[in-house]
Amino acid sequence: MNKKVNQKVLSLIEYYNLLNMDLLINNSPINRFENNKKLSNGLEKSQQLEELKKMIGSIKNCELKNSANKMVFSDGNINSKIMLIGEGPGAQEDQEGLPFVGRAGKLLDKMLGSINLNRKKVYISNVVNYRPPKNRRPTDQEIERYYPFLKLHIEIINPKILVLLGSTALNAIIGNGKAISKVRGKWIKKQIGICHPHIIASFHPAFLMRQPDQKKLAWIDLKLIREKMKQLNF
Ligand code: URA
């Protein structure tokens, strides 16, 4: 091989090494976000949650995080068997760093109260942990980016009943293209990481404030949750 070609080959090898050969020979889509986030072994539940909080706090280049005031991680009882997932923080949640403390939260508290639940008996989080600017819906990319954290959050809490409030939570957990009006009112089976919760989707309280005539359907869903709690003996 002459000297020039030799030099070319050497720089090509260097180039490929730099680029990471795997990416070049693997034509499956590149997953930009690590999907299987893991926690350190042997931690207590509360420590696992602290570690998860730190992971979320170290997210970089995120429009949501950059424009938000506070991270909104969760509220409620970490040992609860019922976990509720909303969409994302609003203005008041962003100020206080707690989910569902605004007007929709007041309605959620009433809904929980109607089946003898409250914030000390359930655990609440959201699909995204930072307020979307101007309360817009999180984009598909944002939902995808936060999903590994949400999955880990569910795995740590390991609820027996998972309540998805609104279409963003439904789409994040069950998949796109499902209408909440078609899916609500029935139990859904889906494994989430190591968890096998009974999943139910219902209307988001903010939607119910705009469409109060839908509250009768939300009441049916609440009664289903109450029945399931009885069946599961809690
Ligand atoms: N709406 C949500 O989906 N989550 C909150 O925390 C508040 C309002």
Side-chain angles (χ1 to χ4, degrees), residues 134-222:
K134 298 186 184 147
N135 288 352
R136 65 162 171 75
R137 206 184 144 108
T139 63
D140 286 351
Q141 285 74 20
E142 287 159 351
I143 294 171
E144 189 189 337
R145 181 163 199 189
Y146 280 80
Y147 179 74
F149 302 112
L150 178 60
K151 179 176 159 226
L152 203 47
H153 210 156
I154 296 169
E155 287 182 300
I156 297 170
I157 299 299
N158 195 13
K160 298 285 168 272
I161 295 177
L162 185 64
V163 184
L164 308 177
L165 295 169
S167 56
T168 303
L170 172 69
N171 293 157
I173 299 289
I174 303 297
N176 269 326
K178 306 265 189 301
I180 194 118
S181 53
K182 296 262 157 38
V183 176
R184 59 143 293 280
K186 345 180 213 280
W187 291 101
I188 304 167
K189 277 193 200 137
K190 178 164 178 170
Q191 183 171 348
I192 301 168
I194 55 164
C195 302
H196 300 80
H198 299 269
I199 305 176
I200 193 163
S202 191
F203 294 121
H204 192 286
F207 169 80
L208 293 173
M209 289 188 324
R210 296 191 301 271
Q211 306 272 334
D213 51 325
Q214 301 296 310
K215 284 184 184 170
K216 52 186 180 295
L217 294 177
W219 174 232
I220 295 175
D221 302 340
L222 287 164

Side-chain angles (χ1 to χ4, degrees), residues 86-89 93 99-100 126 204:
E87 177 176 298
E93 289 77 17
F100 284 101
N126 279 308
H204 192 286

Side-chain angles (χ1 to χ4, degrees), residues 7 26 60 63-64 93 107 129 174 200 212 229-230:
Q7 192 50 49
N26 179 355
K60 301 265 180 305
E63 188 196 347
L64 302 186
E93 289 77 17
L107 177 56
N129 303 95
I174 303 297
I200 193 163
M229 291 192 300
K230 253 195 212 146

Side-chain angles (χ1 to χ4, degrees), residues 72 85-91 93 98-102 104-105 124-128 165 204-206:
V72 175
I85 312 284
E87 177 176 298
E93 289 77 17
L98 285 171
F100 284 101
V101 286
I124 308 176
S125 191
N126 279 308
V127 171
V128 296
L165 295 169
H204 192 286

